[in-house]
Amino acid sequence: MIEVSRIIDVPPDVVFVVLADGWNYAGWVVGSSHIRDVDEDWPAVGSRIHHSVGPWPLHIQDVTVVKAVEPGTFLSLEARGWPLGAAEVRLTLLPHGEGKTEVRMAEEVTRGPGKFLPEAVQALIAKPRNTEALARLADLVTGKHANRKAAQS
């Protein structure tokens, strides 16, 4: 598995609130360009986000499926983008000091042409993409958290 991590200046439950809203997916997942639908019970195991991958008009319509979830701490997804393949993506949220979260994002190609590439080659693509995804997630989480705190004041 290829893993990246990032510290976000909010508690794990705040990060999970953003992950638990499937409509946020295209806002932080690099390559996801459009959300068509989110199953009502997202992020329950087996629920799906129906999304497009890639730029218009060449985008591919596919789904991401929840494989496992521990609310507030862990989310495992099967991210699909055929004909490119599928990957298991694990997001682990760990408390990191006072009011902060270490988000670990691990990815493993499970199907498709990418599975046959050496892990070092996969890492050349996945590490920068997933580092950017966590940067986007951090911005989304901290922005929503700041707006929520301001609304409560």
Side-chain angles (χ1 to χ4, degrees), residues 47-72:
S47 62
R48 301 175 300 167
I49 294 175
H50 307 263
H51 58 81
S52 300
V53 178
W56 182 90
L58 304 174
H59 64 265
I60 299 163
Q61 294 187 358
D62 223 319
V63 297
T64 291
V65 181
V66 176
K67 304 308 279 178
V69 63
E70 294 175 29

Side-chain angles (χ1 to χ4, degrees), residues 4-5 11 25 39 45 70 74 83 86 88-89 91 93 98 107 109 118 128:
V4 297
S5 66
Y25 189 79
D39 286 0
V45 172
E70 294 175 29
F74 181 75
E88 180 181 358
V89 178
L91 295 152
L93 311 179
E98 186 66 32
E107 179 178 336
V109 177

Side-chain angles (χ1 to χ4, degrees), residues 26-109:
W28 64 272
V29 174
V30 175
S32 179
S33 57
H34 177 74
I35 304 300
R36 298 185 316 278
D37 194 21
V38 177
D39 286 0
E40 194 172 297
D41 59 344
W42 177 271
V45 172
S47 62
R48 301 175 300 167
I49 294 175
H50 307 263
H51 58 81
S52 300
V53 178
W56 182 90
L58 304 174
H59 64 265
I60 299 163
Q61 294 187 358
D62 223 319
V63 297
T64 291
V65 181
V66 176
K67 304 308 279 178
V69 63
E70 294 175 29
T73 61
F74 181 75
L75 185 61
S76 176
L77 307 171
E78 179 185 56
R80 301 177 191 168
W82 284 103
L84 303 174
E88 180 181 358
V89 178
R90 296 180 190 159
L91 295 152
T92 305
L93 311 179
L94 303 165
H96 187 83
E98 186 66 32
K100 295 182 180 185
T101 304
E102 178 183 3
V103 180
R104 293 184 185 163
M105 183 178 191
E107 179 178 336
E108 179 178 14
V109 177

